Amino acid sequence: MAAAQNWDSFFNNWPTSLPRKGVLQSSLNETIPFKEFWVKEGMLLVERVTPDAMGARFVLLDFHAINLVKFTNPLNAAEIAEAGFLTEAPKQQPLRQPLPV
């Protein structure tokens, strides 16, 4: 569930300076090059760069079905930051405290 929410948030907050295109891979291992996308209530509609073997130009999928997204344009530090990625990992507390001896 968290992965779908992360994808939903990412696509809804896509950096404005970054072209709305890339390559999406579904959880069924389908690779989908896209040149535009739209978001609606937990679903993503992508426009393919070229039609697939069956002639489909658009693909509608649930955010649960997204496995990864590849960017075809170079990214710069400002775009990466605008997308919400940090240069350093946040400082976290250790998961477990050592037991007293």
Side-chain angles (χ1 to χ4, degrees):
M1 182 103 137
Q5 291 171 338
N6 289 338
W7 285 121
D8 190 339
S9 175
F10 184 78
F11 277 96
N12 273 298
N13 298 295
W14 189 275
T16 56
S17 60
L18 188 63
R20 294 164 59 94
K21 66 180 191 173
V23 179
L24 184 146
Q25 183 174 350
S26 76
S27 57
L28 297 174
N29 246 1
E30 181 180 3
T31 301
I32 306 167
F34 65 94
K35 62 180 180 179
E36 184 59 84
F37 67 86
W38 300 266
V39 179
K40 179 186 176 188
E41 299 173 7
M43 295 184 299
L44 181 68
L45 176 66
V46 295
E47 181 179 6
R48 298 177 65 93
V49 173
T50 57
D52 67 9
M54 292 183 281
R57 295 182 178 273
F58 292 87
V59 179
L60 178 62
L61 63 154
D62 190 285
F63 282 112
H64 289 96
I66 298 173
N67 191 34
L68 64 87
V69 173
K70 297 179 184 182
F71 299 95
T72 54
N73 285 52
L75 300 176
N76 62 43
E79 291 166 334
I80 293 168
E82 186 182 349
F85 292 93
L86 307 173
T87 57
E88 295 181 13
K91 305 259 187 274
Q92 294 183 355
Q93 300 258 339
L95 295 177
R96 293 182 5 171
Q97 297 293 329
L99 296 173
V101 188

